Amino acid sequence: MIESKELGFSVDGRALLTDVTMTFEPGKIYALVGHNGSGKSTLLKLLAQQQQPTHGRILLNDQAIESWPHKKFAQQVAYLPQQTPATDSLSGRDLVGFGRYPWHGLLGRLNHQDQQYIDDAMALTDTKDYADRLVDTLSGGERQRLWLAMLLAQRTRYLLLDEPLSALDVAHQMDMLNLIKKLSQELNLGVIIVIHDINMAARFCDHIVALHSGKMIASGSVESLFTSQKLEDIYGINMLIMDHPAGYPVAMPY
C-alpha cells in the first residue's frame, strides 16, 4: 500500500499542502477532489516522486519511497501527468512500449514477454487498431486510451492519474472512467485520480479525498461525503443531493 504521513509541501514559505495522512490500497479507486489550487495535483506529484515533500513522509509497502531505486519504484507506481510529453512521429505501439522502460531501460531490447505485455495492454484498452497509427493523428479520447495502455504495460500496482479527463467530452469521460473501473477491479489496481466532477467521482470511485487550501478536509466513502454540509465545505456553495436511479448520489448546486 501507499501511505502518506503528515505530508506537507511548501514553496518559498507558502504551504501548498499541509499534514496529509492517508492510506491508499490496491483494488480501489481514490478520487482527489476540491477547487482549483486546493493541492490535488501537488499531492499526486508527491506520491509519484515527481516532487519531494518538505514535511512528513511517504511509504510504499512500509518502505520510504525515497529509498526505492527509481526503476524499482516505477515497477510499482505509474504516473500520468496533466500535460503528457510530445509524441512526435511515435506510433501507438511505440508509445505503449515505453511502459516497459522501468524494466529494461530506454535502449533495452524488448523480449517476447515484453511484447506480450504490450499486446495485453492494448487489448485491455481496445487500442490494437491504433498500433500503426501516429499518435498525433488520433483524437483526444484515443490518445488517452493509448497513454493508459502504456501505464498498463508498465505492470505496476498503482496508477496515478492527474486530470486524465480534462481534454475529453462527456461521452469519452464516461468511456474512460468505465474502463478505469473495470481495470481496477480485474487487475487489483490501486488508482488515484484527480477529478473535478464530484458526480463522476461518486459514480466511479470507491473513496473520495477532499482537499481545500492544501489541507485534507474530508476522506471517506461516497456515501459518507455526500452530505450537503460536507459538499458545501469542499466547494463553498450549497448543494442539493438526489439519488440517481442507477444507485449513486448526484449533487446539484442551487
Side-chain angles (χ1 to χ4, degrees), residues 86-143:
T87 54
D88 298 344
S89 302
L90 280 180
S91 71
R93 188 174 182 86
D94 289 338
L95 176 59
V96 178
F98 281 136
R100 301 307 298 157
Y101 167 73
W103 302 87
H104 294 287
L106 192 59
L107 300 178
R109 179 184 291 272
L110 299 183
N111 58 32
H112 175 74
Q113 184 66 76
D114 296 311
Q115 300 294 349
Q116 186 61 57
Y117 288 150
I118 293 169
D119 287 340
D120 292 346
M122 298 189 79
L124 285 166
T125 53
D126 195 23
T127 52
K128 284 189 171 183
D129 288 346
Y130 314 142
D132 298 320
R133 298 266 306 274
L134 291 178
V135 176
D136 289 347
T137 67
L138 299 173
S139 70
E142 291 165 343
R143 288 196 300 271

Side-chain angles (χ1 to χ4, degrees), residues 27 47 51 104 131 145 185 214 216 245 250:
L47 297 176
Q51 294 175 330
H104 294 287
R145 278 181 169 265
Q185 293 172 343
M216 188 173 73
V250 175

Side-chain angles (χ1 to χ4, degrees), residues 25-30 157-158 184-185 187-191 206:
E25 300 176 0
K28 293 184 178 180
I29 302 178
Y30 297 83
R157 299 291 306 281
Y158 285 91
S184 175
Q185 293 172 343
L187 303 177
N188 196 37
L189 292 173
V191 180
D206 303 298

